[in-house]
Amino acid sequence: MDEKWNIYVEENRLFLHRSWTGYLAYEAAFTKGDGGGRRITSALVESDPERYRSASADYDRITLELVISAILLDEGAEDLRTRMTAALRADTGSTAAAVAQHSVLGVRTPQTTTRPHHP
């Protein structure tokens, strides 16, 4: 169960579902940012503990950013990883940062693109 997230976009909304339950954990709205990128303008997190367990609002903000950076965009996101570790330690007392990060993030499945063959 290395793949933890099913992620898709509809219009300017990003939806992040936990892969093994199908439950929506996060939803983020985007607008065009300065410099041609996108920026999050609002975000929601599942609040039903039967569907998603949250450590804190800070942890959820970091997790959302980290899933987008590390899993969706395939960035290293070292600062976010450090912040996640600190938030986990503060919220749970856990020092097992690598295990906790894998548990939350999973791994990114390489995407393949098939290009038409042109002789």
Side-chain angles (χ1 to χ4, degrees):
M1 302 235 357
D2 286 339
E3 297 172 11
K4 309 291 183 186
W5 299 96
N6 292 326
I7 303 170
Y8 63 93
V9 173
E10 288 183 1
E11 297 185 15
N12 288 322
R13 291 204 167 292
L14 180 70
F15 299 90
L16 296 92
H17 293 258
R18 288 307 239 164
S19 63
W20 62 87
T21 65
Y23 293 144
L24 178 66
Y26 297 98
E27 178 182 335
F30 288 83
T31 59
K32 290 183 180 179
D34 297 334
R38 302 261 183 219
R39 74 185 289 272
I40 297 172
T41 55
S42 66
L44 300 170
V45 63
E46 175 61 67
S47 62
D48 181 347
E50 296 289 321
R51 292 178 167 244
Y52 180 74
R53 282 177 275 163
S54 171
S56 69
D58 189 43
Y59 173 84
D60 285 328
R61 278 190 295 274
I62 295 165
T63 301
L64 175 60
E65 286 184 65
L66 188 53
V67 170
I68 292 169
S69 290
I71 301 300
L72 187 60
L73 300 176
D74 199 24
E75 299 172 339
E78 292 308 316
D79 178 56
L80 288 170
R81 291 176 188 278
T82 301
R83 289 174 47 210
M84 177 187 236
T85 301
L88 281 170
R89 190 173 298 120
D91 295 336
T92 67
S94 173
T95 58
V99 172
Q101 282 189 36
H102 178 76
S103 172
V104 172
L105 292 177
V107 296
R108 183 175 194 266
T109 302
Q111 301 296 314
T112 57
T113 304
T114 305
R115 295 182 183 195
H117 176 68
H118 296 288

mmCIF file of all heavy atoms in Angstrom, residues 1 8-9 17-19 25 40-43 46 53-55 61 68 70-71 73 95 100 103 105-107 109 117-118:
data_model
loop_
_atom_site.group_PDB
_atom_site.id
_atom_site.type_symbol
_atom_site.label_atom_id
_atom_site.label_comp_id
_atom_site.label_asym_id
_atom_site.label_seq_id
_atom_site.Cartn_x
_atom_site.Cartn_y
_atom_site.Cartn_z
ATOM 1 N N MET A 1 0.832 -1.185 0.000
ATOM 2 C CA MET A 1 0.000 0.000 0.000
ATOM 3 C C MET A 1 0.874 1.246 0.000
ATOM 4 O O MET A 1 0.746 2.117 0.841
ATOM 5 C CB MET A 1 -0.920 -0.011 1.212
ATOM 6 C CG MET A 1 -1.800 -1.232 1.269
ATOM 7 S SD MET A 1 -3.556 -1.049 1.389
ATOM 8 C CE MET A 1 -3.952 0.593 1.507
ATOM 9 N N TYR A 8 -7.113 14.342 -8.169
ATOM 10 C CA TYR A 8 -7.596 14.815 -9.465
ATOM 11 C C TYR A 8 -8.044 16.264 -9.344
ATOM 12 O O TYR A 8 -8.249 16.777 -8.251
ATOM 13 C CB TYR A 8 -8.721 13.926 -10.004
ATOM 14 C CG TYR A 8 -9.972 13.904 -9.156
ATOM 15 C CD1 TYR A 8 -11.026 14.775 -9.416
ATOM 16 C CD2 TYR A 8 -10.099 13.033 -8.085
ATOM 17 C CE1 TYR A 8 -12.167 14.760 -8.637
ATOM 18 C CE2 TYR A 8 -11.231 13.007 -7.306
ATOM 19 C CZ TYR A 8 -12.267 13.875 -7.590
ATOM 20 O OH TYR A 8 -13.389 13.870 -6.820
ATOM 21 N N VAL A 9 -8.178 16.907 -10.494
ATOM 22 C CA VAL A 9 -8.571 18.313 -10.560
ATOM 23 C C VAL A 9 -9.852 18.424 -11.366
ATOM 24 O O VAL A 9 -10.012 17.766 -12.397
ATOM 25 C CB VAL A 9 -7.465 19.160 -11.244
ATOM 26 C CG1 VAL A 9 -7.927 20.592 -11.463
ATOM 27 C CG2 VAL A 9 -6.188 19.117 -10.436
ATOM 28 N N HIS A 17 -8.093 12.161 -2.306
ATOM 29 C CA HIS A 17 -8.782 11.059 -1.643
ATOM 30 C C HIS A 17 -7.754 10.059 -1.143
ATOM 31 O O HIS A 17 -6.748 9.802 -1.812
ATOM 32 C CB HIS A 17 -9.705 10.330 -2.630
ATOM 33 C CG HIS A 17 -10.858 11.140 -3.089
ATOM 34 N ND1 HIS A 17 -12.113 10.973 -2.587
ATOM 35 C CD2 HIS A 17 -10.950 12.126 -4.018
ATOM 36 C CE1 HIS A 17 -12.946 11.817 -3.186
ATOM 37 N NE2 HIS A 17 -12.255 12.528 -4.052
ATOM 38 N N ARG A 18 -8.015 9.444 0.014
ATOM 39 C CA ARG A 18 -7.174 8.353 0.489
ATOM 40 C C ARG A 18 -7.445 7.158 -0.414
ATOM 41 O O ARG A 18 -8.594 6.794 -0.651
ATOM 42 C CB ARG A 18 -7.496 8.012 1.948
ATOM 43 C CG ARG A 18 -7.004 9.078 2.900
ATOM 44 C CD ARG A 18 -5.555 9.389 2.690
ATOM 45 N NE ARG A 18 -4.800 9.157 3.905
ATOM 46 C CZ ARG A 18 -3.497 9.061 3.940
ATOM 47 N NH1 ARG A 18 -2.787 9.173 2.845
ATOM 48 N NH2 ARG A 18 -2.869 8.872 5.055
ATOM 49 N N SER A 19 -6.386 6.571 -0.938
ATOM 50 C CA SER A 19 -6.537 5.538 -1.952
ATOM 51 C C SER A 19 -7.219 4.280 -1.438
ATOM 52 O O SER A 19 -7.967 3.650 -2.167
ATOM 53 C CB SER A 19 -5.179 5.186 -2.562
ATOM 54 O OG SER A 19 -4.333 4.650 -1.572
ATOM 55 N N ALA A 25 -10.133 13.451 1.670
ATOM 56 C CA ALA A 25 -9.447 13.978 2.850
ATOM 57 C C ALA A 25 -9.256 15.485 2.737
ATOM 58 O O ALA A 25 -9.429 16.212 3.716
ATOM 59 C CB ALA A 25 -8.099 13.291 3.046
ATOM 60 N N ILE A 40 -3.017 28.360 -3.631
ATOM 61 C CA ILE A 40 -4.197 27.886 -2.912
ATOM 62 C C ILE A 40 -4.893 29.094 -2.296
ATOM 63 O O ILE A 40 -4.272 29.904 -1.618
ATOM 64 C CB ILE A 40 -3.797 26.897 -1.805
ATOM 65 C CG1 ILE A 40 -3.135 25.654 -2.395
ATOM 66 C CG2 ILE A 40 -5.017 26.509 -0.961
ATOM 67 C CD1 ILE A 40 -2.545 24.709 -1.372
ATOM 68 N N THR A 41 -6.199 29.215 -2.555
ATOM 69 C CA THR A 41 -6.971 30.307 -1.969
ATOM 70 C C THR A 41 -7.844 29.840 -0.814
ATOM 71 O O THR A 41 -8.197 30.627 0.052
ATOM 72 C CB THR A 41 -7.852 30.988 -3.032
ATOM 73 O OG1 THR A 41 -8.672 29.995 -3.648
ATOM 74 C CG2 THR A 41 -6.997 31.688 -4.075
ATOM 75 N N SER A 42 -8.198 28.572 -0.811
ATOM 76 C CA SER A 42 -8.939 28.006 0.313
ATOM 77 C C SER A 42 -8.757 26.497 0.295
ATOM 78 O O SER A 42 -8.440 25.906 -0.738
ATOM 79 C CB SER A 42 -10.427 28.366 0.242
ATOM 80 O OG SER A 42 -11.032 27.758 -0.880
ATOM 81 N N ALA A 43 -8.942 25.903 1.452
ATOM 82 C CA ALA A 43 -8.806 24.445 1.546
ATOM 83 C C ALA A 43 -9.748 23.922 2.623
ATOM 84 O O ALA A 43 -10.049 24.611 3.603
ATOM 85 C CB ALA A 43 -7.365 24.068 1.880
ATOM 86 N N GLU A 46 -11.334 16.905 5.777
ATOM 87 C CA GLU A 46 -12.373 16.065 6.373
ATOM 88 C C GLU A 46 -12.294 16.158 7.892
ATOM 89 O O GLU A 46 -11.209 16.053 8.469
ATOM 90 C CB GLU A 46 -12.178 14.617 5.927
ATOM 91 C CG GLU A 46 -13.113 13.620 6.569
ATOM 92 C CD GLU A 46 -14.584 13.869 6.297
ATOM 93 O OE1 GLU A 46 -14.997 13.718 5.139
ATOM 94 O OE2 GLU A 46 -15.302 14.210 7.251
ATOM 95 N N ARG A 53 -8.261 10.979 10.312
ATOM 96 C CA ARG A 53 -7.765 11.409 11.619
ATOM 97 C C ARG A 53 -6.758 12.531 11.437
ATOM 98 O O ARG A 53 -5.746 12.362 10.777
ATOM 99 C CB ARG A 53 -7.123 10.248 12.355
ATOM 100 C CG ARG A 53 -8.168 9.338 12.957
ATOM 101 C CD ARG A 53 -7.534 8.168 13.601
ATOM 102 N NE ARG A 53 -7.334 7.195 12.517
ATOM 103 C CZ ARG A 53 -6.536 6.164 12.576
ATOM 104 N NH1 ARG A 53 -5.817 5.945 13.634
ATOM 105 N NH2 ARG A 53 -6.436 5.329 11.560
ATOM 106 N N SER A 54 -7.050 13.643 12.043
ATOM 107 C CA SER A 54 -6.196 14.818 11.950
ATOM 108 C C SER A 54 -5.498 15.051 13.281
ATOM 109 O O SER A 54 -6.117 14.945 14.336
ATOM 110 C CB SER A 54 -7.053 16.033 11.598
ATOM 111 O OG SER A 54 -6.309 17.210 11.709
ATOM 112 N N ALA A 55 -4.219 15.368 13.221
ATOM 113 C CA ALA A 55 -3.473 15.684 14.439
ATOM 114 C C ALA A 55 -3.721 17.130 14.868
ATOM 115 O O ALA A 55 -3.884 17.415 16.038
ATOM 116 C CB ALA A 55 -1.983 15.436 14.231
ATOM 117 N N ARG A 61 -2.398 21.573 7.231
ATOM 118 C CA ARG A 61 -1.873 22.533 6.236
ATOM 119 C C ARG A 61 -0.575 22.013 5.629
ATOM 120 O O ARG A 61 -0.395 22.034 4.413
ATOM 121 C CB ARG A 61 -1.617 23.894 6.897
ATOM 122 C CG ARG A 61 -2.840 24.761 7.045
ATOM 123 C CD ARG A 61 -2.479 26.173 7.486
ATOM 124 N NE ARG A 61 -1.900 26.208 8.820
ATOM 125 C CZ ARG A 61 -2.599 26.265 9.945
ATOM 126 N NH1 ARG A 61 -3.909 26.299 9.906
ATOM 127 N NH2 ARG A 61 -1.995 26.298 11.115
ATOM 128 N N ILE A 68 0.887 17.811 -2.279
ATOM 129 C CA ILE A 68 0.922 18.504 -3.574
ATOM 130 C C ILE A 68 2.362 18.575 -4.086
ATOM 131 O O ILE A 68 2.631 18.234 -5.239
ATOM 132 C CB ILE A 68 0.292 19.913 -3.470
ATOM 133 C CG1 ILE A 68 -1.210 19.795 -3.226
ATOM 134 C CG2 ILE A 68 0.580 20.721 -4.736
ATOM 135 C CD1 ILE A 68 -1.877 21.110 -2.842
ATOM 136 N N ALA A 70 5.330 16.938 -2.982
ATOM 137 C CA ALA A 70 6.121 15.707 -3.092
ATOM 138 C C ALA A 70 5.480 14.653 -3.980
ATOM 139 O O ALA A 70 6.171 13.986 -4.751
ATOM 140 C CB ALA A 70 6.371 15.123 -1.708
ATOM 141 N N ILE A 71 4.179 14.493 -3.896
ATOM 142 C CA ILE A 71 3.512 13.424 -4.646
ATOM 143 C C ILE A 71 3.024 13.928 -6.001
ATOM 144 O O ILE A 71 3.328 13.359 -7.039
ATOM 145 C CB ILE A 71 2.346 12.823 -3.830
ATOM 146 C CG1 ILE A 71 2.852 12.253 -2.506
ATOM 147 C CG2 ILE A 71 1.603 11.766 -4.648
ATOM 148 C CD1 ILE A 71 3.886 11.151 -2.627
ATOM 149 N N LEU A 73 3.602 16.997 -7.638
ATOM 150 C CA LEU A 73 4.567 17.726 -8.464
ATOM 151 C C LEU A 73 5.949 17.080 -8.488
ATOM 152 O O LEU A 73 6.826 17.543 -9.202
ATOM 153 C CB LEU A 73 4.676 19.181 -7.975
ATOM 154 C CG LEU A 73 3.368 19.978 -8.019
ATOM 155 C CD1 LEU A 73 3.570 21.362 -7.432
ATOM 156 C CD2 LEU A 73 2.820 20.043 -9.431
ATOM 157 N N THR A 95 8.778 10.363 17.249
ATOM 158 C CA THR A 95 10.102 10.678 16.708
ATOM 159 C C THR A 95 10.406 9.834 15.479
ATOM 160 O O THR A 95 11.493 9.921 14.925
ATOM 161 C CB THR A 95 11.196 10.450 17.771
ATOM 162 O OG1 THR A 95 11.126 9.094 18.209
ATOM 163 C CG2 THR A 95 11.015 11.392 18.947
ATOM 164 N N ALA A 100 6.511 7.833 9.700
ATOM 165 C CA ALA A 100 5.291 8.633 9.699
ATOM 166 C C ALA A 100 5.073 9.296 8.351
ATOM 167 O O ALA A 100 3.961 9.304 7.830
ATOM 168 C CB ALA A 100 5.350 9.685 10.805
ATOM 169 N N SER A 103 3.931 6.750 5.888
ATOM 170 C CA SER A 103 2.571 6.366 6.217
ATOM 171 C C SER A 103 1.563 7.379 5.664
ATOM 172 O O SER A 103 0.512 7.014 5.173
ATOM 173 C CB SER A 103 2.428 6.267 7.736
ATOM 174 O OG SER A 103 1.093 6.083 8.094
ATOM 175 N N LEU A 105 2.381 10.049 3.293
ATOM 176 C CA LEU A 105 2.611 10.434 1.897
ATOM 177 C C LEU A 105 2.547 9.277 0.924
ATOM 178 O O LEU A 105 2.056 9.417 -0.177
ATOM 179 C CB LEU A 105 3.978 11.105 1.749
ATOM 180 C CG LEU A 105 4.141 12.448 2.407
ATOM 181 C CD1 LEU A 105 5.560 12.940 2.231
ATOM 182 C CD2 LEU A 105 3.144 13.439 1.869
ATOM 183 N N GLY A 106 3.133 8.146 1.297
ATOM 184 C CA GLY A 106 3.262 7.056 0.340
ATOM 185 C C GLY A 106 4.354 7.371 -0.653
ATOM 186 O O GLY A 106 5.269 8.136 -0.366
ATOM 187 N N VAL A 107 4.246 6.808 -1.811
ATOM 188 C CA VAL A 107 5.216 7.066 -2.868
ATOM 189 C C VAL A 107 4.483 7.534 -4.103
ATOM 190 O O VAL A 107 3.292 7.309 -4.266
ATOM 191 C CB VAL A 107 6.054 5.801 -3.210
ATOM 192 C CG1 VAL A 107 6.883 5.375 -2.017
ATOM 193 C CG2 VAL A 107 5.164 4.672 -3.667
ATOM 194 N N THR A 109 3.725 7.223 -7.935
ATOM 195 C CA THR A 109 3.782 6.288 -9.035
ATOM 196 C C THR A 109 4.242 7.034 -10.273
ATOM 197 O O THR A 109 3.655 8.056 -10.634
ATOM 198 C CB THR A 109 2.390 5.675 -9.315
ATOM 199 O OG1 THR A 109 1.947 5.033 -8.129
ATOM 200 C CG2 THR A 109 2.442 4.689 -10.456
ATOM 201 N N HIS A 117 3.970 7.428 -32.504
ATOM 202 C CA HIS A 117 5.178 7.195 -33.296
ATOM 203 C C HIS A 117 5.010 7.844 -34.667
ATOM 204 O O HIS A 117 4.043 7.586 -35.371
ATOM 205 C CB HIS A 117 5.421 5.692 -33.470
ATOM 206 C CG HIS A 117 6.589 5.396 -34.348
ATOM 207 N ND1 HIS A 117 7.873 5.695 -33.961
ATOM 208 C CD2 HIS A 117 6.658 4.865 -35.576
ATOM 209 C CE1 HIS A 117 8.693 5.332 -34.917
ATOM 210 N NE2 HIS A 117 7.987 4.831 -35.919
ATOM 211 N N HIS A 118 5.938 8.729 -34.989
ATOM 212 C CA HIS A 118 5.905 9.393 -36.304
ATOM 213 C C HIS A 118 7.178 9.030 -37.051
ATOM 214 O O HIS A 118 8.264 9.425 -36.650
ATOM 215 C CB HIS A 118 5.824 10.906 -36.152
ATOM 216 C CG HIS A 118 4.575 11.370 -35.506
ATOM 217 N ND1 HIS A 118 3.349 11.349 -36.138
ATOM 218 C CD2 HIS A 118 4.338 11.858 -34.256
ATOM 219 C CE1 HIS A 118 2.433 11.819 -35.325
ATOM 220 N NE2 HIS A 118 3.007 12.132 -34.181
#
